Amino acid sequence: MTDETKKAILVVGGGMSGLSAALEAAEAGYQVVLVEKNAYVGGRVAQLHQYFPKLCPPYCGLEINFRRVKSNPRITIHTLAEVTSIEGAPGDFTVKVKVSPRYVNDKCTACGKCADAVSATIPNPFNYGLDQIKAAYLPHDLAMPLRYVIDPSIAGTDEGQKAAAACPYGAVDLGDAGQELSLNVGAVIWAAGWTPYDPSKIEYYNFDKSPNIVTNVQFERLAAVNGPTSGAIQRPGDGAAPKKVAFIQCAGSRDENHLPFCSSICCLASLKQSTYVMEKLPEAEITIYFIDIRAMDRNEDFYTKVKASNKVQFVKSKIAMITPQANGNLILEGENTATGERFKAEHDLVVLATGMQPNTALSQVPFDVTYDPYGFLTSGQAVIGVGTVRRPSEVVTCVQDGTSAALKAIQAVGR
Amino acid sequence: MDYNQTFAKEVYEKVDSGDEIKVCMQCGVCGATCPLRGEMKYGPRQIWSLIRAGRRDEVLNNPDIMLCTSCYTCQVRCPRGVPIMEVMHGLAHYALAQGIVPRAETAKFGKAFWEGIYDTGRVDEAVVPIKYCLQDGLVAGLKKSLGMMDIGLALMKAKRMKPKMFIPPNIFIPGVHKIKGVKQLQRMLDKAAAIDAAKEA
């Protein structure tokens, strides 16, 4: 089998699912084009502090995958790129891709002189807006490609000129207009990933009214060494170390008014995050408010372990109301369904275990495909769904699913 | 524990929207969001639980099922979409049809409200309290209205009640001020009541 006789496989989305699919297909000898919306690949995994259940850093596994990508000549990556149209059928697709300008070309050495020269800042997307970053920035330490980005907001301004003037390598290209690509591929794998459910939609949680209510993805950044607090868990409101941390499960999930399905990972995410608090703030009290703890199959062990530590109080109650106080604390109200008691509890930091909304529910595939009632891609289609656009899943499932998607794509290309 | 399905089935079949509680996942949001959570002993979730446990007397005699003020908060927040308010009213209605009065004063007030609608086709905010107070006779009525003076004053202060409401022609005197076609309305209400009675029998 030679690369020339087979059409390439397009992978849309460079998160864990997309990377896995791309690598498996490329290592099996197929040409792969990977299109990623962000300025870097690695997706939401790059933003995690630790994985459950082994509590190891995701950067480690990502680095291995990045090395596999770099050493494989069959993979072409386009970042800041989005698919605008798909035509054709398995075996012969024509796909249009819009690449947005990065304003930095491949001469960039990631020296950081452009960032030093620029004074404008933007909310740091990598830290979910918890801090500000210079408008000329490296998305994160291990960004791949390791290349700075000039934010479009300064590209046409004096700030942009300063960045260009500061670059010793001529890597800042303010005339970058992006490009339109037309690709002919044999298979399309859709690995567009997920978005945390917007908690401001759960109006009785008052997420917008208090900086001390954070989402679980933000909490990962608060615990991460390369996060806004260098890994110190602090209340975003005043920087104080919290003494009473609450985790609220099903913040949007299992709710007909929001996401009617179980997002399946949030229980483990909160259990994992409770270990961050135990490790970094041993004096802090931790409470997990839940409807049911859903620790699937082998992850039950992790739940048992956390429970055995006796450092986490488990309260069987869906929280019905969060009321911010003048001192920044938060009053939680609910009904303890194990005792029947209706309670009020005060906490100084609240973490909402927001669920997984498939990105296909927010932005559909530009092709005739079918979705389930929640916006997940259904199986057996011309465009191959993988990972969290197919169902809510943890990282390990996404990796497995990536391999299976690669196999389906290879079959489609061979047709 | 000895579970008895008989009462749960009775509720599913005979109580308005009663079968909707089957999907309840016992999260507790209803009881904790209820503005009357301080007044209710159980709240909706625990009542559903008692229904499932077959505790008929405890449910139908429970004042909680008559405390619902129809504010809809629990109903719009219920993650399972249970029409909680409708079930609470359904239970209260069902209890009354069985000759059980879970909360006497609420039942009397409801009766006064309902009779006004039935007789005249209108709700008059002056007639309802008068009818309510006088149900047990003039002396008892005067006592009751004096006992509720603080509520009356608060209502007046909030301009929800004004003395002139009680002076004709502002007050719609029962039996005098009727809507057009009140007989047709009564026939409709009678028919609805007959359908209800057949369901609840």
Side-chain angles (χ1 to χ4, degrees):
Chain A
M1 165 186 6
T2 63
D3 296 340
E4 285 73 33
T5 59
K6 299 284 181 193
K7 280 193 174 134
I9 293 166
L10 173 69
V11 178
V12 183
M16 211 56 210
S17 306
L19 271 180
S20 303
L23 280 165
E24 294 297 342
E27 287 173 3
Y30 290 81
Q31 289 291 343
V32 174
V33 182
L34 181 67
V35 167
E36 165 59 48
K37 186 174 65 175
N38 283 333
Y40 57 92
V41 295
R44 295 194 187 273
V45 160
Q47 291 164 286
L48 299 178
H49 172 49
Q50 288 176 344
Y51 282 132
F52 62 77
K54 286 202 275 183
L55 301 180
C56 52
Y59 256 30
C60 170
L62 269 182
E63 197 179 2
I64 295 169
N65 279 311
F66 289 170
R67 287 178 72 88
R68 284 168 76 191
V69 172
K70 282 175 194 160
S71 61
N72 196 316
R74 293 191 190 90
I75 302 181
T76 312
I77 296 180
H78 298 285
T79 50
L80 290 166
E82 289 185 77
V83 169
T84 53
S85 76
I86 304 174
E87 277 164 20
D92 188 15
F93 283 110
T94 303
V95 180
K96 296 264 194 314
V97 175
K98 182 178 177 292
V99 183
S100 299
R102 188 187 190 102
Y103 304 109
V104 177
N105 61 31
D106 57 6
K107 290 179 195 158
C108 177
T109 64
C111 70
K113 289 207 168 73
C114 54
D116 294 341
V118 164
S119 53
T121 60
I122 53 163
N124 186 350
F126 193 73
N127 288 339
Y128 295 99
L130 285 168
D131 62 351
Q132 296 277 316
I133 194 172
K134 289 283 181 71
Y137 62 101
L138 187 67
H140 67 104
D141 298 345
L142 200 70
M144 179 176 161
L146 195 69
R147 204 193 294 178
Y148 272 63
V149 185
I150 306 287
D151 192 73
S153 66
I154 65 155
T157 69
D158 290 352
E159 287 282 293
Q161 296 296 339
K162 281 190 218 163
C167 181
Y169 308 100
V172 174
D173 172 14
L174 296 173
D176 186 354
Q179 54 175 327
E180 305 274 343
L181 305 173
S182 182
L183 307 168
N184 186 227
V185 294
V188 179
I189 293 175
W190 204 262
W194 61 285
T195 297
Y197 187 70
D198 175 7
S200 60
K201 288 183 181 164
I202 315 166
E203 88 281 4
Y204 49 88
Y205 281 175
N206 289 311
F207 178 72
D208 296 333
K209 307 261 169 64
S210 169
N212 298 329
I213 307 173
V214 297
T215 62
N216 48 3
V217 287
Q218 288 178 321
F219 196 72
E220 288 293 326
R221 300 311 305 146
L222 285 177
V225 192
N226 62 350
T229 57
S230 306
I233 297 176
Q234 295 171 354
R235 305 207 310 173
D238 55 11
K243 296 187 183 74
K244 283 190 77 172
V245 183
F247 292 92
I248 297 182
Q249 298 311 110
C250 300
S253 301
R254 295 180 71 189
D255 193 327
E256 300 281 336
N257 301 312
H258 301 285
L259 302 177
F261 52 87
C262 169
S263 297
S264 89
I265 54 111
C266 339
C267 282
L268 258 294
S270 291
L271 288 165
K272 172 189 74 173
Q273 292 179 343
S274 76
T275 68
Y276 302 169
V277 182
M278 282 184 229
E279 186 198 324
K280 290 167 187 274
L281 300 167
E283 302 300 315
E285 290 174 36
I286 307 165
T287 312
I288 297 182
Y289 296 96
F290 66 99
I291 304 174
D292 309 284
I293 294 290
R294 290 187 165 174
M296 307 298 187
D297 50 73
R298 76 204 156 87
N299 288 325
E300 177 87 22
D301 294 344
F302 192 82
Y303 172 41
T304 312
K305 208 172 77 186
V306 172
K307 226 176 162 182
S309 75
N310 282 326
K311 290 200 172 143
V312 180
Q313 197 195 349
F314 289 88
V315 177
K316 190 166 167 60
S317 168
K318 180 174 165 75
I319 292 301
M321 183 89 78
I322 303 176
T323 315
Q325 305 297 295
N327 63 0
N329 287 359
L330 303 138
I331 303 277
L332 274 49
E333 286 181 71
E335 180 179 345
N336 183 328
T337 64
T339 63
E341 176 213 4
R342 269 156 266 161
F343 64 86
K344 281 187 185 188
E346 191 166 349
H347 292 271
D348 52 7
L349 180 68
V350 169
V351 184
L352 300 178
T354 48
M356 280 190 159
Q357 191 160 30
N359 281 340
T360 41
L362 301 166
S363 167
Q364 296 200 330
V365 182
F367 196 71
D368 184 21
V369 289
T370 58
Y371 304 88
D372 76 2
Y374 312 132
F376 290 98
L377 274 177
T378 50
S379 299
Q381 303 198 66
V383 170
I384 303 158
V386 56
T388 53
V389 297
R390 243 163 48 75
R391 59 178 171 186
S393 15
E394 52 177 349
V395 179
V396 64
T397 312
C398 289
V399 174
Q400 290 164 353
D401 212 26
T403 309
S404 117
L407 208 56
K408 286 178 201 156
I410 287 168
Q411 286 166 345
V413 169
R415 239 173 244 161
Chain B
M1 190 184 273
D2 182 24
Y3 278 94
N4 181 349
Q5 278 285 291
T6 321
F7 181 51
K9 282 180 184 152
E10 184 182 339
V11 170
Y12 300 158
E13 282 165 25
K14 297 189 172 180
V15 172
D16 259 0
S17 304
D19 58 337
E20 306 261 8
I21 69 167
K22 286 178 187 171
V23 298
C24 168
M25 63 175 173
Q26 294 281 305
C27 72
V29 157
C30 48
T33 47
C34 179
L36 283 162
R37 57 191 177 278
E39 307 296 321
M40 289 198 186
K41 187 175 172 201
Y42 294 113
R45 180 195 72 81
Q46 291 184 56
I47 290 174
W48 300 180
S49 207
L50 288 168
I51 291 169
R52 287 169 176 175
R55 309 258 280 269
R56 191 178 195 276
D57 290 346
E58 234 167 309
V59 172
L60 295 183
N61 285 291
N62 198 315
D64 286 10
I65 62 175
M66 278 204 144
L67 274 172
C68 172
T69 61
S70 316
C71 77
Y72 278 96
T73 309
C74 58
Q75 190 155 329
V76 299
R77 291 191 183 167
C78 175
R80 301 290 289 157
V82 177
I84 299 169
M85 192 206 88
E86 283 153 38
V87 183
M88 291 293 267
H89 287 303
L91 283 168
H93 194 273
Y94 186 68
L96 293 175
Q98 306 302 307
I100 301 167
V101 184
R103 196 168 184 276
E105 290 309 307
T106 312
K108 281 180 193 167
F109 191 88
K111 193 166 167 259
F113 186 88
W114 182 247
E115 279 178 2
I117 292 175
Y118 191 86
D119 291 344
T120 62
R122 301 178 193 278
V123 178
D124 187 294
E125 295 203 357
V127 173
V128 175
I130 294 173
K131 265 180 170 283
Y132 166 63
C133 286
L134 293 182
Q135 266 179 62
D136 302 324
L138 191 61
V139 180
L142 284 172
K143 257 191 197 166
K144 189 179 264 177
S145 32
L146 285 173
M148 291 178 70
M149 194 121 90
D150 53 337
I151 296 176
L153 288 172
L155 283 170
M156 287 203 188
K157 206 175 160 194
K159 298 198 173 122
R160 295 290 299 161
M161 197 161 86
K162 292 171 186 165
K164 69 173 185 191
M165 279 166 45
F166 294 91
I167 302 163
N170 294 321
I171 184 166
F172 291 118
I173 299 163
V176 178
H177 297 91
K178 292 180 184 175
I179 59 159
K180 271 185 211 164
V182 73
K183 287 272 181 281
Q184 283 97 316
L185 174 73
Q186 287 171 353
R187 277 212 296 279
M188 280 163 62
L189 294 174
D190 289 343
K191 191 162 184 187
I195 294 169
D196 252 9
K199 189 185 170 190
E200 284 164 352

